[in-house]
Amino acid sequence: MTSRSTSRDALVLKADTAWTDAWQRCLTTAPEAFRDDRVLNLWNGAWQADGRSLPATSPIDGSPIAGPPRLDADTARRAVRAALDQHRAWRHIPLPERRARVVATLDSLTQHRELLALLLVWEIGKTWRLAQADVDRAIDGVRWYVDGIDSMVEGRAPLEGPVSNIASWNYPMSVLVHTMLVQALAGNAVIAKTPTDGGVACLTLACALAAREGVPLTLVSGSGGELSEALVRAPEIDCVSFVGGRDTGAAVATAVTDLGKRHILEQEGLNTWGIWNYSDWDALGAVVPKLFDYGKQRCTAYPRFVVQRALFDEFLGVYLPAVRTVRVGHPLAVARPDDDFPDLDFGPLINAAKAKELTDQVTEAVDRGAVPLHRGDTTHGRFLPGQDTSAYVHPVTLLNPPPSSPLHHAEPFGPVDTIVLVDTEAELLAAMNASNGALVATLSTDDPATYERLAPQIRAFKTGRGKPRSRGDRDELFGGFGASWRGAFVGGELLVRAVTQGSAGERAPGNFPSYRLMA
């Protein structure tokens, strides 16, 4: 059933931000990549009007937007073979020329920054602030590599074949486009599959701007199952970079391991925040609303608090007032057309199906014994009169989800916090390690010695003391422990090392079947 807004405020859409406005700007900015009713695929150095264009809707209000033009397996194989031809030419282009083309691309992305951000708002539901940050982090991050690429590739060579990228939908610019441009800067032709759930127009525009500068990118759409033979197993592919869930990641890992391909597989994990012998409650209360950025639809979100039972009353005393301040709504709804963009923590989830799945998980967990501590007030969201709100989920907090619930051991990828109470340090560590590996974790404790003793036992790649950790930018390494990561670690120089060849017998830092090596 479609739900409709009953907001008491007569909000309106901010001027010049409608999907039709964004689409018209795409047609004007990159007519080679867009048609009146669809986007195109980019392969063999040209924009191709192939593939079956599927319908799509915006998570913001359920209205129609451009869908992905899905290729079949045969066409994808042709695209991969063409990318190998591009790669063989590009890898011999001198580094100064590669750098100049990437810099020109960054300048063009900067020029069209606001359009790229507006597309992210409509396609994946980011707030304006977070959409701009996604674009800016891509541009600024690649500029850092441009400035330091000489030393990073010294004594190294591009791969023998192109790099294939399969990424989730939540960070099209700061993760996917950023990675693609660094891979190209290092001397590789690059292939990317458009995420199925959203971001096709933003990625198409970004790739169009890069293709104009002669950067050898391939962008195709299609189902993972149908295209995996070409994008993962094809002999032309020399490296596979994947960001997504553990089930799909495990299948990719099996394929690349069997074939001996280089790989970078970032997978989900339950990132946890531990509270043990702690008293700086004002600091914790200040950070709680920030943890709801983008509705916790990020790989470094913290959906689980593991709290010492003796401190639970003090924890709730700061947590509940903080979570009640979280702001949810339509990312473009304003009181007057010329008002500034609304200041929100998050908008919709990626689609109504995900919202229903998460809501059903919450209901089931409560039915099986979880205690609901907080449910966001759906009447206080900022929405347009009568708009479809079926993709929105307001913050929910549950105490002690049952072991039978997915919320007990898996990342919800939505604005649902779970709290587990513990009495001993052993229980604390067991609860913080519930998902067999994570990307980040935090331990809040007053005693530095306690942190130094417990932090190494937390199975997260990055562990903060009283502060959240993130993917990081520029020279900060990134990876995961346990089942949250397979293959080479990235970040800083390691991202370049992962997609270039060094001396014979070189072992890349990362998690591999035969070894785990920290940088």
Side-chain angles (χ1 to χ4, degrees):
M1 178 182 295
T2 299
S3 56
R4 296 285 171 179
S5 165
T6 57
S7 172
R8 291 168 295 178
D9 297 325
L11 300 177
V12 297
L13 194 68
K14 181 171 173 59
D16 302 320
T17 64
W19 170 255
T20 52
D21 296 324
W23 186 253
Q24 188 57 51
R25 289 168 65 185
C26 289
L27 293 172
T28 301
T29 302
E32 70 272 26
F34 294 85
R35 294 290 183 267
D36 288 340
D37 60 345
R38 61 175 293 172
V39 299
L40 306 184
N41 288 297
L42 173 62
W43 60 275
N44 197 26
W47 291 97
Q48 314 277 356
D50 49 17
R52 182 168 60 94
S53 188
L54 297 184
T57 57
S58 171
I60 289 180
D61 60 4
S63 59
I65 60 174
R70 296 173 66 134
L71 294 182
D72 57 32
D74 289 340
T75 307
R77 281 192 288 269
R78 292 167 55 202
V80 169
R81 286 194 292 269
L84 177 61
D85 292 337
Q86 288 182 303
H87 180 85
R88 287 170 172 166
W90 178 255
R91 71 191 305 270
H92 297 296
I93 297 291
L95 178 57
E97 176 63 21
R98 298 201 306 264
R99 181 193 290 114
R101 296 188 191 185
V102 171
V103 167
T105 298
L106 297 176
D107 292 343
S108 189
L109 292 174
T110 302
Q111 179 184 351
H112 298 288
R113 167 181 180 262
E114 291 196 356
L115 176 54
L116 290 162
L118 184 58
L119 292 170
L120 290 179
V121 173
W122 278 107
E123 293 192 286
I124 60 175
K126 283 185 182 277
T127 66
W128 181 248
R129 171 177 59 85
L130 295 177
Q132 287 186 303
D134 195 11
V135 177
D136 291 344
R137 285 185 63 186
I139 295 170
D140 294 343
V142 178
R143 287 197 192 279
W144 182 85
Y145 280 94
V146 165
D147 292 341
I149 191 64
D150 293 88
S151 62
M152 295 182 193
V153 298
E154 186 176 358
R156 308 187 65 81
L159 301 179
E160 295 299 322
V163 183
S164 177
N165 295 269
I166 302 170
S168 58
W169 46 265
N170 53 341
Y171 286 91
M173 292 295 299
S174 62
V175 174
L176 184 52
V177 170
H178 172 278
T179 300
M180 293 168 67
L181 291 178
V182 174
Q183 292 167 352
L185 180 64
N188 304 289
V190 179
I191 304 168
K193 186 181 92 66
T194 302
T196 302
D197 287 323
V200 61
C202 178
L203 285 169
T204 298
L205 178 60
C207 288
L209 300 177
R212 285 180 181 176
E213 305 302 336
V215 180
L217 304 184
T218 295
L219 182 67
V220 295
S221 295
S223 73
E226 189 166 10
L227 300 192
S228 63
E229 190 68 27
L231 300 184
V232 176
R233 293 182 170 273
E236 294 90 345
I237 301 295
D238 208 14
C239 179
V240 176
S241 176
F242 170 86
V243 179
R246 290 190 178 184
D247 291 343
T248 304
V252 174
T254 299
V256 295
T257 301
D258 289 347
L259 297 169
K261 291 182 185 291
R262 289 172 176 257
H263 55 283
I264 308 160
L265 309 182
E266 176 188 328
Q267 301 175 150
E268 63 187 346
L270 183 62
N271 305 317
T272 58
W273 193 302
I275 310 287
W276 189 262
N277 291 340
Y278 180 69
S279 63
D280 192 0
W281 298 112
D282 288 343
L284 181 66
V287 80
V288 166
K290 300 175 184 177
L291 300 180
F292 280 89
D293 267 0
Y294 196 31
K296 302 207 174 194
Q297 297 178 105
R298 52 194 300 177
C299 64
T300 54
Y302 287 83
R304 166 67 52 79
F305 287 93
V306 181
V307 182
Q308 187 176 7
R309 191 183 305 272
L311 301 178
F312 186 45
D313 57 337
E314 294 180 273
F315 171 82
L316 282 186
V318 297
Y319 175 87
L320 289 177
V323 76
R324 291 181 185 125
T325 68
V326 172
R327 301 151 299 179
V328 184
H330 188 308
L332 304 172
V334 292
R336 292 172 297 276
D338 292 332
D339 282 354
D340 292 337
F341 289 91
D343 186 12
L344 302 171
D345 294 294
F346 65 93
L349 300 193
I350 186 58
N351 52 49
K354 174 60 181 177
K356 182 180 185 305
E357 173 191 303
L358 192 56
T359 301
D360 288 347
Q361 288 179 355
V362 169
T363 300
E364 182 181 58
V366 172
D367 288 344
R368 295 181 179 181
V371 179
L373 297 176
H374 172 74
R375 295 182 192 266
D377 188 345
T378 59
T379 65
H380 288 171
R382 291 177 54 89
F383 300 108
L384 299 179
Q387 80 160 79
D388 183 339
T389 60
S390 57
Y392 292 79
V393 174
H394 293 256
V396 175
T397 307
L398 301 179
L399 175 66
N400 289 338
S404 59
S405 169
L407 297 175
H408 178 79
H409 55 78
E411 181 181 11
F413 230 61
V416 176
D417 275 348
T418 56
I419 301 172
V420 174
L421 302 183
V422 296
D423 296 298
T424 67
E425 290 183 356
E427 289 178 308
L428 175 81
L429 292 170
M432 293 190 71
N433 293 330
S435 67
N436 184 28
L439 304 176
V440 296
T442 291
L443 178 60
S444 290
T445 182
D446 293 343
D447 181 25
T450 298
Y451 177 83
E452 294 300 327
R453 177 166 45 83
L454 296 180
Q457 301 177 68
I458 299 171
R459 289 177 59 76
F461 189 79
K462 296 181 180 182
T463 301
R465 183 182 172 200
K467 296 180 180 180
R469 297 304 310 269
S470 68
R471 185 183 183 93
D473 290 313
R474 301 174 180 175
D475 60 350
E476 188 174 3
L477 307 183
F478 190 61
F481 280 175
S484 68
W485 196 280
R486 302 171 190 260
F489 295 146
V490 296
E493 185 177 354
L494 289 190
L495 176 54
V496 173
R497 287 182 60 185
V499 295
T500 54
Q501 301 179 85
S503 58
E506 176 184 79
R507 297 204 307 168
N511 288 336
F512 294 92
S514 59
Y515 71 89
R516 186 182 79 186
L517 177 65
M518 299 298 292

